[in-house]
mmCIF file of all heavy atoms in Angstrom:
data_model
loop_
_atom_site.group_PDB
_atom_site.id
_atom_site.type_symbol
_atom_site.label_atom_id
_atom_site.label_comp_id
_atom_site.label_asym_id
_atom_site.label_seq_id
_atom_site.Cartn_x
_atom_site.Cartn_y
_atom_site.Cartn_z
ATOM 1 N N GLU A 336 8.170 -37.351 -32.689
ATOM 2 C CA GLU A 336 8.418 -38.689 -33.216
ATOM 3 C C GLU A 336 7.230 -39.560 -32.856
ATOM 4 O O GLU A 336 6.980 -39.829 -31.682
ATOM 5 C CB GLU A 336 9.707 -39.272 -32.630
ATOM 6 C CG GLU A 336 10.066 -40.624 -33.191
ATOM 7 C CD GLU A 336 11.431 -41.112 -32.727
ATOM 8 O OE1 GLU A 336 12.163 -40.320 -32.126
ATOM 9 O OE2 GLU A 336 11.749 -42.279 -32.940
ATOM 10 N N ASN A 337 6.513 -39.996 -33.878
ATOM 11 C CA ASN A 337 5.327 -40.829 -33.685
ATOM 12 C C ASN A 337 4.340 -40.144 -32.744
ATOM 13 O O ASN A 337 4.006 -38.999 -32.906
ATOM 14 C CB ASN A 337 5.730 -42.224 -33.190
ATOM 15 C CG ASN A 337 6.617 -42.932 -34.184
ATOM 16 O OD1 ASN A 337 6.422 -42.806 -35.403
ATOM 17 N ND2 ASN A 337 7.601 -43.644 -33.696
ATOM 18 N N ALA A 338 3.901 -40.831 -31.713
ATOM 19 C CA ALA A 338 2.884 -40.279 -30.824
ATOM 20 C C ALA A 338 3.476 -39.516 -29.653
ATOM 21 O O ALA A 338 2.746 -39.043 -28.791
ATOM 22 C CB ALA A 338 2.007 -41.415 -30.295
ATOM 23 N N LYS A 339 4.788 -39.387 -29.636
ATOM 24 C CA LYS A 339 5.435 -38.745 -28.496
ATOM 25 C C LYS A 339 6.178 -37.494 -28.973
ATOM 26 O O LYS A 339 6.849 -37.515 -29.995
ATOM 27 C CB LYS A 339 6.415 -39.714 -27.845
ATOM 28 C CG LYS A 339 6.979 -39.237 -26.517
ATOM 29 C CD LYS A 339 7.845 -40.325 -25.891
ATOM 30 C CE LYS A 339 7.001 -41.501 -25.433
ATOM 31 N NZ LYS A 339 7.807 -42.484 -24.671
ATOM 32 N N SER A 340 6.027 -36.417 -28.214
ATOM 33 C CA SER A 340 6.733 -35.181 -28.526
ATOM 34 C C SER A 340 7.670 -34.852 -27.381
ATOM 35 O O SER A 340 7.359 -35.090 -26.215
ATOM 36 C CB SER A 340 5.730 -34.038 -28.716
ATOM 37 O OG SER A 340 4.838 -34.316 -29.766
ATOM 38 N N THR A 341 8.817 -34.299 -27.721
ATOM 39 C CA THR A 341 9.799 -33.919 -26.712
ATOM 40 C C THR A 341 10.085 -32.436 -26.844
ATOM 41 O O THR A 341 10.337 -31.941 -27.946
ATOM 42 C CB THR A 341 11.088 -34.722 -26.881
ATOM 43 O OG1 THR A 341 10.780 -36.116 -26.844
ATOM 44 C CG2 THR A 341 12.065 -34.400 -25.755
ATOM 45 N N VAL A 342 10.041 -31.760 -25.708
ATOM 46 C CA VAL A 342 10.332 -30.319 -25.662
ATOM 47 C C VAL A 342 11.607 -30.140 -24.854
ATOM 48 O O VAL A 342 11.727 -30.681 -23.748
ATOM 49 C CB VAL A 342 9.177 -29.540 -25.014
ATOM 50 C CG1 VAL A 342 9.463 -28.049 -25.055
ATOM 51 C CG2 VAL A 342 7.864 -29.855 -25.714
ATOM 52 N N TYR A 343 12.554 -29.414 -25.409
ATOM 53 C CA TYR A 343 13.833 -29.203 -24.757
ATOM 54 C C TYR A 343 13.962 -27.752 -24.284
ATOM 55 O O TYR A 343 13.474 -26.828 -24.935
ATOM 56 C CB TYR A 343 14.979 -29.501 -25.722
ATOM 57 C CG TYR A 343 14.961 -30.891 -26.283
ATOM 58 C CD1 TYR A 343 14.428 -31.150 -27.548
ATOM 59 C CD2 TYR A 343 15.469 -31.958 -25.553
ATOM 60 C CE1 TYR A 343 14.411 -32.429 -28.064
ATOM 61 C CE2 TYR A 343 15.460 -33.246 -26.074
ATOM 62 C CZ TYR A 343 14.931 -33.476 -27.326
ATOM 63 O OH TYR A 343 14.909 -34.749 -27.830
ATOM 64 N N LEU A 344 14.658 -27.589 -23.167
ATOM 65 C CA LEU A 344 15.038 -26.254 -22.718
ATOM 66 C C LEU A 344 16.550 -26.253 -22.551
ATOM 67 O O LEU A 344 17.076 -26.845 -21.606
ATOM 68 C CB LEU A 344 14.345 -25.890 -21.398
ATOM 69 C CG LEU A 344 14.640 -24.480 -20.887
ATOM 70 C CD1 LEU A 344 14.029 -23.436 -21.825
ATOM 71 C CD2 LEU A 344 14.103 -24.291 -19.467
ATOM 72 N N GLN A 345 17.224 -25.646 -23.515
ATOM 73 C CA GLN A 345 18.678 -25.517 -23.440
ATOM 74 C C GLN A 345 19.009 -24.272 -22.632
ATOM 75 O O GLN A 345 18.577 -23.173 -22.991
ATOM 76 C CB GLN A 345 19.263 -25.406 -24.853
ATOM 77 C CG GLN A 345 20.770 -25.201 -24.882
ATOM 78 C CD GLN A 345 21.547 -26.394 -24.393
ATOM 79 O OE1 GLN A 345 21.293 -27.523 -24.794
ATOM 80 N NE2 GLN A 345 22.494 -26.160 -23.493
ATOM 81 N N MET A 346 19.747 -24.460 -21.560
ATOM 82 C CA MET A 346 20.074 -23.352 -20.662
ATOM 83 C C MET A 346 21.581 -23.141 -20.668
ATOM 84 O O MET A 346 22.339 -24.035 -20.261
ATOM 85 C CB MET A 346 19.582 -23.654 -19.242
ATOM 86 C CG MET A 346 18.094 -24.010 -19.183
ATOM 87 S SD MET A 346 17.493 -24.218 -17.496
ATOM 88 C CE MET A 346 18.421 -25.663 -16.987
ATOM 89 N N ASN A 347 22.009 -21.991 -21.146
ATOM 90 C CA ASN A 347 23.422 -21.644 -21.211
ATOM 91 C C ASN A 347 23.720 -20.471 -20.282
ATOM 92 O O ASN A 347 22.816 -19.761 -19.839
ATOM 93 C CB ASN A 347 23.806 -21.271 -22.650
ATOM 94 C CG ASN A 347 23.597 -22.414 -23.622
ATOM 95 O OD1 ASN A 347 23.761 -23.586 -23.284
ATOM 96 N ND2 ASN A 347 23.232 -22.091 -24.853
ATOM 97 N N SER A 348 24.999 -20.267 -20.019
ATOM 98 C CA SER A 348 25.440 -19.144 -19.166
ATOM 99 C C SER A 348 24.625 -19.080 -17.876
ATOM 100 O O SER A 348 24.134 -18.020 -17.479
ATOM 101 C CB SER A 348 25.318 -17.826 -19.938
ATOM 102 O OG SER A 348 26.081 -17.858 -21.119
ATOM 103 N N LEU A 349 24.496 -20.214 -17.236
ATOM 104 C CA LEU A 349 23.650 -20.285 -16.042
ATOM 105 C C LEU A 349 24.218 -19.447 -14.907
ATOM 106 O O LEU A 349 25.443 -19.330 -14.735
ATOM 107 C CB LEU A 349 23.486 -21.736 -15.605
ATOM 108 C CG LEU A 349 22.475 -22.522 -16.460
ATOM 109 C CD1 LEU A 349 22.684 -24.019 -16.299
ATOM 110 C CD2 LEU A 349 21.050 -22.141 -16.092
ATOM 111 N N GLU A 350 23.296 -18.883 -14.148
ATOM 112 C CA GLU A 350 23.629 -18.011 -13.024
ATOM 113 C C GLU A 350 23.032 -18.591 -11.744
ATOM 114 O O GLU A 350 22.047 -19.343 -11.809
ATOM 115 C CB GLU A 350 23.051 -16.616 -13.288
ATOM 116 C CG GLU A 350 23.504 -15.987 -14.576
ATOM 117 C CD GLU A 350 22.698 -14.753 -14.942
ATOM 118 O OE1 GLU A 350 21.707 -14.445 -14.238
ATOM 119 O OE2 GLU A 350 23.075 -14.083 -15.936
ATOM 120 N N PRO A 351 23.612 -18.257 -10.591
ATOM 121 C CA PRO A 351 23.026 -18.755 -9.326
ATOM 122 C C PRO A 351 21.545 -18.420 -9.186
ATOM 123 O O PRO A 351 20.793 -19.206 -8.597
ATOM 124 C CB PRO A 351 23.866 -18.046 -8.266
ATOM 125 C CG PRO A 351 25.190 -17.834 -8.932
ATOM 126 C CD PRO A 351 24.858 -17.543 -10.372
ATOM 127 N N GLU A 352 21.124 -17.315 -9.767
ATOM 128 C CA GLU A 352 19.711 -16.903 -9.693
ATOM 129 C C GLU A 352 18.797 -17.842 -10.483
ATOM 130 O O GLU A 352 17.574 -17.782 -10.361
ATOM 131 C CB GLU A 352 19.540 -15.479 -10.222
ATOM 132 C CG GLU A 352 20.183 -14.393 -9.360
ATOM 133 C CD GLU A 352 21.699 -14.359 -9.468
ATOM 134 O OE1 GLU A 352 22.224 -14.826 -10.497
ATOM 135 O OE2 GLU A 352 22.346 -13.860 -8.523
ATOM 136 N N ASP A 353 19.369 -18.701 -11.323
ATOM 137 C CA ASP A 353 18.571 -19.673 -12.069
ATOM 138 C C ASP A 353 18.260 -20.914 -11.243
ATOM 139 O O ASP A 353 17.515 -21.791 -11.696
ATOM 140 C CB ASP A 353 19.310 -20.094 -13.350
ATOM 141 C CG ASP A 353 19.501 -18.938 -14.312
ATOM 142 O OD1 ASP A 353 18.544 -18.166 -14.510
ATOM 143 O OD2 ASP A 353 20.610 -18.822 -14.873
ATOM 144 N N THR A 354 18.816 -21.015 -10.057
ATOM 145 C CA THR A 354 18.576 -22.161 -9.200
ATOM 146 C C THR A 354 17.104 -22.238 -8.818
ATOM 147 O O THR A 354 16.533 -21.278 -8.298
ATOM 148 C CB THR A 354 19.441 -22.072 -7.929
ATOM 149 O OG1 THR A 354 20.816 -22.152 -8.298
ATOM 150 C CG2 THR A 354 19.098 -23.193 -6.963
ATOM 151 N N ALA A 355 16.490 -23.388 -9.092
ATOM 152 C CA ALA A 355 15.066 -23.573 -8.828
ATOM 153 C C ALA A 355 14.681 -24.992 -9.223
ATOM 154 O O ALA A 355 15.476 -25.713 -9.848
ATOM 155 C CB ALA A 355 14.226 -22.585 -9.641
ATOM 156 N N VAL A 356 13.466 -25.373 -8.877
ATOM 157 C CA VAL A 356 12.863 -26.571 -9.453
ATOM 158 C C VAL A 356 12.170 -26.142 -10.744
ATOM 159 O O VAL A 356 11.387 -25.197 -10.749
ATOM 160 C CB VAL A 356 11.849 -27.217 -8.487
ATOM 161 C CG1 VAL A 356 11.198 -28.437 -9.154
ATOM 162 C CG2 VAL A 356 12.526 -27.616 -7.181
ATOM 163 N N TYR A 357 12.500 -26.834 -11.800
ATOM 164 C CA TYR A 357 11.945 -26.517 -13.116
ATOM 165 C C TYR A 357 10.849 -27.523 -13.462
ATOM 166 O O TYR A 357 11.033 -28.736 -13.293
ATOM 167 C CB TYR A 357 13.036 -26.537 -14.179
ATOM 168 C CG TYR A 357 13.898 -25.308 -14.144
ATOM 169 C CD1 TYR A 357 14.781 -25.076 -13.085
ATOM 170 C CD2 TYR A 357 13.829 -24.352 -15.151
ATOM 171 C CE1 TYR A 357 15.561 -23.932 -13.035
ATOM 172 C CE2 TYR A 357 14.615 -23.212 -15.120
ATOM 173 C CZ TYR A 357 15.474 -23.004 -14.053
ATOM 174 O OH TYR A 357 16.248 -21.862 -14.006
ATOM 175 N N TYR A 358 9.740 -26.997 -13.961
ATOM 176 C CA TYR A 358 8.595 -27.815 -14.321
ATOM 177 C C TYR A 358 8.237 -27.603 -15.784
ATOM 178 O O TYR A 358 8.256 -26.488 -16.283
ATOM 179 C CB TYR A 358 7.365 -27.439 -13.489
ATOM 180 C CG TYR A 358 7.503 -27.622 -12.007
ATOM 181 C CD1 TYR A 358 7.978 -26.589 -11.191
ATOM 182 C CD2 TYR A 358 7.145 -28.827 -11.399
ATOM 183 C CE1 TYR A 358 8.101 -26.754 -9.825
ATOM 184 C CE2 TYR A 358 7.257 -28.996 -10.030
ATOM 185 C CZ TYR A 358 7.737 -27.953 -9.256
ATOM 186 O OH TYR A 358 7.853 -28.119 -7.894
ATOM 187 N N CYS A 359 7.851 -28.688 -16.428
ATOM 188 C CA CYS A 359 7.254 -28.612 -17.749
ATOM 189 C C CYS A 359 5.744 -28.759 -17.582
ATOM 190 O O CYS A 359 5.282 -29.558 -16.750
ATOM 191 C CB CYS A 359 7.806 -29.722 -18.633
ATOM 192 S SG CYS A 359 7.175 -29.713 -20.325
ATOM 193 N N ALA A 360 4.983 -27.992 -18.350
ATOM 194 C CA ALA A 360 3.529 -28.028 -18.230
ATOM 195 C C ALA A 360 2.884 -27.968 -19.604
ATOM 196 O O ALA A 360 3.425 -27.354 -20.536
ATOM 197 C CB ALA A 360 3.039 -26.861 -17.377
ATOM 198 N N ALA A 361 1.734 -28.594 -19.719
ATOM 199 C CA ALA A 361 0.961 -28.584 -20.965
ATOM 200 C C ALA A 361 -0.453 -28.102 -20.664
ATOM 201 O O ALA A 361 -1.012 -28.414 -19.602
ATOM 202 C CB ALA A 361 0.928 -29.974 -21.589
ATOM 203 N N GLY A 362 -1.015 -27.332 -21.618
ATOM 204 C CA GLY A 362 -2.337 -26.779 -21.375
ATOM 205 C C GLY A 362 -3.148 -26.651 -22.643
ATOM 206 O O GLY A 362 -2.787 -27.175 -23.694
#
């Protein structure tokens, strides 16, 4: 939308092993 972009991460069926700090990165 305009000059801004949004990236989504939909996470379903989450498991205890998914516990973490999540980072978004651009390169």
Side-chain angles (χ1 to χ4, degrees):
E336 183 173 350
N337 299 323
K339 189 175 291 187
S340 300
T341 304
V342 183
Y343 302 98
L344 183 67
Q345 177 67 48
M346 306 185 295
N347 299 327
S348 302
L349 282 161
E350 304 168 354
E352 292 74 24
D353 296 316
T354 296
V356 178
Y357 283 70
Y358 299 90
C359 182

